[in-house]
Amino acid sequence: MHELVQDLFLRYLGNSLLAARDDAAVWPVPGLGTGRLAVTTDSYVVSPIFFPGGDIGKLAVCGTVNDLAMVGAEPLALTAGFILEEGLSLSDLEQVVASMAEAAREAGVAVAAGDTKVVDRGKADQIFINTAGVGRVRDGTHLSGANARPGDVVLVSGTVGEHGLAVLSVREGLEFSFPLASDCAALNELVAEMLSCGGVLRCLRDPTRGGLATTLNEIALQSGVGIEIEESAVPVSEGVRAACELLGLDPLYAACEGRLVAVASPESEGVLLETLRRNRLGRQAARIGRVTAGPTGRVILETAYGGRRILDMLSGAQLPRIC
Amino acid sequence: MHELVQDLFLRYLGNSLLAARDDAAVWPVPGLGTGRLAVTTDSYVVSPIFFPGGDIGKLAVCGTVNDLAMVGAEPLALTAGFILEEGLSLSDLEQVVASMAEAAREAGVAVAAGDTKVVDRGKADQIFINTAGVGRVRDGTHLSGANARPGDVVLVSGTVGEHGLAVLSVREGLEFSFPLASDCAALNELVAEMLSCGGVLRCLRDPTRGGLATTLNEIALQSGVGIEIEESAVPVSEGVRAACELLGLDPLYAACEGRLVAVASPESEGVLLETLRRNRLGRQAARIGRVTAGPTGRVILETAYGGRRILDMLSGAQLPRIC
């Protein structure tokens, strides 16, 4: 098993860093002296491991690349740690690893170090993957959830909730007549375009666990500002809308894995939306609201029917194992 | 649960990088332009999670710091990804996190990013931890398992097998009259001293899974050389020796988590052993053998009784979940 796995990883993820087979990968990073390092980590325990639009492998790459991108970092390298349940089918594992490799190639980043542990049947659930990422942030780029200022605009790069609903639907064995696939995608190129378009970006965040509503609340809290969102401006696909109605869920709380929320200076709205929409991953970008002086830490939703209500953090149990 | 965990991690592992609470940690690394980056990752699934001499938290820090140290890298940052089984006692978790924090402080490295996932009871086994590490290798340092040359000496920094036997003993409910505790420790300071003592180091490796015998085989294969080991020169504690006899195990295959194997030029033997023995983690350092031109990829053991036999890679099942 160990050899098969190692062989499989080398075959799909192989590069000169992995091939050196030392305890850690070492490589020169010319010019890093002028930038800053970024590191991040995420464990992926999504169930089921295959879902429309992706699988746990693709998710593990895109999710971590996106976490780097959200601080404006270009990915320098990923690491991947696998915990495998005894009895996991090798073809499933192969499919996952192949999909990781493809996602890494598309994002232009290498998996520079890896590790595998196997535990007894019943001591894990098929496969868990941890990916950590190392990136470089250029001088002059300073993105943080603490940077939002009253008057700023709030943008979203596309429709929300596809990932959460796609995973949930297959888990529950639901079939819909409309297409519903995860939005899982690496956003680093899109972010690079946003960073170089001339707009003034304060904050980027990908609305994963807890969805758009939770992400906005985090930004409002971190920055000590209020945020007002127009419900009718938030792009939601027909598929997500219908699935949410059927399941009694709110798309604003459903996870995305290939979308971003941007807070930017009001003057930047035009150039940022233009930049976003030129990229296939930002085609449906929209301005969804603005930052206010208060009430601090609160997100207010202007509903489609003209009312105003507090859009809270997700209360109660989050959808489990969505990523 | 989520809040409790977050609070707990912040309390024990808190630093300015974690406290920024952005999707990735960003910090300036002055002068990195003149060195190289190193990254590594390991998932820890040791069972039981507490054992004499350590726990899964200490292990997760030391193991990854050591993987960096083995390529001569000073640790710049660790990341930590937790997978928790629902029902895990909070006090156990607290103990593990506290122990991680202590180990990180001792090793002089920050846990710069973290993540937690909780899975249903029966879908994991108490707690799994992934740690990834980022480090910096200074110019002029080039350690690799591929660098061993005929004539080189093979050193070990202390007694072997304590970690494996300590974990196994508590798992099997064995009690011995002699002390038996894991050797789990971070070796980065010891390695820094070795790198600056003037000796010529070719390769460092920590003999974890599969123990000393497996590590030596890996070096022999990677370098395309032979290695000859004198069995009587390998330091083994009374406790490990007795436990191995009782359990029918060979200490040369038992995992260490705070020992290193060094391959060095023959002229460096004296200064390296002196340097090792001055540090409390290398007090029982010894020269255990030498590198030969062949048979390539083979490790030959000169037994205590004057015989010679091939010391193979571990065959059959490795002791499971020892790290």
Side-chain angles (χ1 to χ4, degrees), chain A residues 81-85 117 119 124 126-129, chain B residues 43 45 83 128:
Chain A
F82 295 82
I83 298 175
L84 308 177
E85 184 189 11
K117 297 288 188 300
V119 298
Q126 293 188 280
I127 178 167
F128 299 147
I129 304 178
Chain B
S43 297
V45 299
I83 297 174
F128 299 148

Side-chain angles (χ1 to χ4, degrees), chain A residues 2 20-33 35-45 66-68 70-71 76-83 112-120 122-125 128-130 132-134 137 143-146 204-206 209 222 318 320-321 323, chain B residues 2 20-33 35-45 66-68 70-71 76-83 112-120 122-125 128-130 132-134 137 143-146 204-206 209 222 318 320-321 323:
Chain A
H2 181 250
R21 292 175 66 180
D22 279 312
D23 283 331
V26 183
W27 73 106
V29 185
L32 191 64
R36 286 162 293 148
L37 271 187
V39 297
T40 186
T41 187
D42 252 319
S43 297
Y44 298 86
V45 299
N66 290 349
D67 280 346
L68 289 176
M70 293 307 112
V71 296
L76 292 172
L78 299 182
T79 66
F82 295 82
I83 298 175
D115 175 60
T116 307
K117 297 288 188 300
V118 179
V119 298
D120 286 347
K123 299 297 186 185
D125 192 8
F128 299 147
I129 304 178
N130 175 284
V134 187
V137 183
L143 301 178
S144 167
L204 293 177
R205 199 57 74 89
D206 56 338
R209 279 195 282 187
Q222 252 184 289
Q318 290 189 132
R321 299 187 60 186
C323 62
Chain B
H2 182 250
R21 293 175 67 179
D22 280 311
D23 283 330
V26 183
W27 74 106
V29 186
L32 190 66
R36 286 163 291 148
L37 271 187
V39 297
T40 187
T41 186
D42 252 320
S43 297
Y44 298 86
V45 299
N66 290 350
D67 280 345
L68 289 176
M70 294 307 113
V71 297
L76 293 173
L78 299 183
T79 65
F82 295 82
I83 297 174
D115 174 60
T116 307
K117 297 288 188 301
V118 180
V119 298
D120 286 347
K123 299 299 187 185
D125 192 7
F128 299 148
I129 303 178
N130 175 284
V134 187
V137 183
L143 302 177
S144 166
L204 293 177
R205 199 56 76 87
D206 56 337
R209 277 195 283 188
Q222 253 184 286
Q318 288 189 132
R321 300 186 59 186
C323 61

Side-chain angles (χ1 to χ4, degrees), chain A residues 1-61:
Chain A
M1 177 81 180
H2 181 250
E3 269 180 31
L4 280 168
V5 168
Q6 193 161 37
D7 178 65
L8 187 61
F9 290 171
L10 276 175
R11 186 144 45 91
Y12 282 102
L13 301 172
N15 55 52
S16 61
L17 295 167
L18 269 183
R21 292 175 66 180
D22 279 312
D23 283 331
V26 183
W27 73 106
V29 185
L32 191 64
T34 64
R36 286 162 293 148
L37 271 187
V39 297
T40 186
T41 187
D42 252 319
S43 297
Y44 298 86
V45 299
V46 64
S47 171
I49 59 175
F50 300 103
F51 47 82
D55 59 39
I56 191 171
K58 181 181 181 183
L59 187 61
V61 168

